[in-house]
Amino acid sequence: MMTKITNDYLEVTVSPEGATLTSIRDAKTGQEYLWQGDPAYWTGQAPNLFPFVGRLHEERYTLDGVSYPMTRHGFVRHAQMTLEYAQPDQCCFALSQSPETLKMYPYRFTFRIVYRLAENTLHIAFQVENQDDKLLYCGMGGHPGFQVPMDPGLSFSDYRLTFPEACQPHQVVFSPSLQVAPDRPDYPLEQGRYLPLRHDLFDLDAVVLADAPRQVTLSSPKGSHGVTVGYPQMPYVGFWHQPKTDAPYLCIEPWATLPGRDNTVEELSTLPDRIAVPAGQTFSNDWWIKVW
């Protein structure tokens, strides 16, 4: 059963499968901002990524010398999560270890996703409670897709991504198997701030940037609607739609960690950028989506 949270500005709907967002609507006009999963392009909408982001070489990793399987983007996105509480303007979903997760991820844990509305902003918290007696290592990220265009009469190429200040980001390069390669070249932006959208930007899959500001806006100079995603604790941001298509959406993906490296079976405890949560403690990663 879907869970809906509302305020005077927004109506947001969440599925128990992966606590996935299925709708972000303007409460007054009904304007829908979230991609609606057209199977002609991509059936996803806004998967939550935990305990890994992206692909691992051979779809496995090791921990203390033991090998564990792990599919792309982790197991939360397809898990049935429990609704812990729901209030008019906020809700919380949780997933704890099970015999199935322990085969892939040898920890006792609870992973929570909290959604909270404040005016026209949806605040999101990823919370990892380590219920084990050892350090818990993990990765996490968001993957929300947004309708493009958002305004009648405009096209995909009328939109651009805008960072709040001039910067010199570096591109995280992927191998043909979509794992992290060692290169990290400069990624030029127009005037140091703008990335105009073109469908062929994504012909080789996602554009993932490091060393960029921790917020980005998707909008058109010709339009009146837009989305800003803020990710203060996430050092990477990816942009994606289905490669080699004219897909009418764009995913803005804040990542706390990167996929596995090319031709490397990663040891989880030494994976670059992995999050380490001490025994008995809870880690929270807070980010947000603002629409207008």
Side-chain angles (χ1 to χ4, degrees):
M1 189 172 102
M2 297 291 183
T3 297
K4 181 178 284 190
I5 58 174
T6 63
N7 65 5
D8 291 340
Y9 299 82
L10 294 175
E11 296 178 352
V12 171
T13 306
V14 187
S15 166
E17 184 176 357
T20 302
L21 294 168
T22 61
S23 178
I24 302 175
R25 285 184 179 272
D26 185 298
K28 296 183 177 68
T29 68
Q31 167 91 18
E32 178 64 73
Y33 291 89
L34 197 73
W35 170 243
Q36 290 300 290
D38 183 348
Y41 295 101
W42 179 51
T43 57
Q45 293 187 266
N48 296 303
L49 317 181
F50 178 87
F52 282 93
V53 171
R55 291 169 169 82
L56 286 163
H57 182 60
E58 298 181 355
E59 292 196 330
R60 68 185 181 96
Y61 68 95
T62 62
L63 180 62
D64 300 327
V66 180
S67 178
Y68 298 92
M70 183 61 63
T71 55
R72 179 168 54 97
H73 289 323
F75 52 73
V76 157
R77 64 195 182 117
H78 296 308
Q80 289 297 314
M81 298 186 68
T82 299
L83 179 65
E84 281 200 332
Y85 65 80
Q87 299 171 5
D89 62 353
Q90 60 185 285
C91 62
C92 174
F93 287 82
L95 178 73
S96 296
Q97 81 280 346
S98 67
E100 290 73 26
T101 68
L102 288 168
K103 294 173 185 175
M104 299 178 281
Y105 190 60
Y107 291 107
R108 291 180 288 119
F109 71 95
T110 297
F111 179 65
R112 293 181 174 89
I113 302 176
V114 181
Y115 294 107
R116 177 178 60 85
L117 295 175
E119 297 187 341
N120 60 331
T121 300
L122 173 62
H123 293 270
I124 305 160
F126 292 160
Q127 299 174 352
V128 187
E129 181 183 349
N130 182 0
Q131 298 165 338
D132 224 311
D133 56 4
K134 58 191 175 186
L135 271 175
L136 178 151
Y137 301 106
C138 66
M140 61 183 63
H143 198 310
F146 301 102
Q147 311 258 28
V148 184
M150 304 177 204
D151 298 271
L154 298 187
S155 66
F156 187 87
S157 60
D158 288 321
Y159 286 77
R160 67 187 184 186
L161 293 157
T162 303
F163 290 103
E165 66 263 353
C167 59
Q168 179 50 76
H170 298 93
Q171 184 175 11
V172 177
V173 176
F174 292 93
S175 70
S177 58
L178 298 179
Q179 286 149 346
V180 175
D183 301 332
R184 197 67 68 89
D186 291 348
Y187 192 87
L189 300 173
E190 287 190 3
Q191 302 175 45
R193 293 183 60 203
Y194 304 110
L195 177 55
L197 293 187
R198 314 185 314 270
H199 288 299
D200 64 3
L201 277 176
F202 313 107
D203 281 357
L204 298 178
D205 214 81
V207 174
V208 178
L209 303 181
D211 307 311
R214 301 294 178 91
Q215 119 179 18
V216 67
T217 294
L218 170 62
S219 63
S220 170
K222 302 176 183 179
S224 57
H225 296 287
V227 173
T228 298
V229 180
Y231 39 94
Q233 296 166 262
M234 309 244 203
Y236 310 103
V237 62
F239 309 112
W240 178 83
H241 75 35
Q242 192 67 40
K244 299 181 181 179
T245 70
D246 61 350
Y249 70 91
L250 180 76
C251 289
I252 299 177
E253 305 181 33
W255 292 355
T257 50
L258 288 176
R261 291 168 292 182
D262 197 30
N263 295 316
T264 301
V265 175
E266 301 285 3
E267 163 61 30
L268 182 57
S269 62
T270 60
L271 186 70
D273 301 314
R274 87 284 185 274
I275 296 163
V277 185
Q281 295 193 21
T282 298
F283 171 84
S284 184
N285 189 316
D286 304 317
W287 56 292
W288 50 267
I289 299 168
K290 181 179 181 179
V291 303
W292 69 92

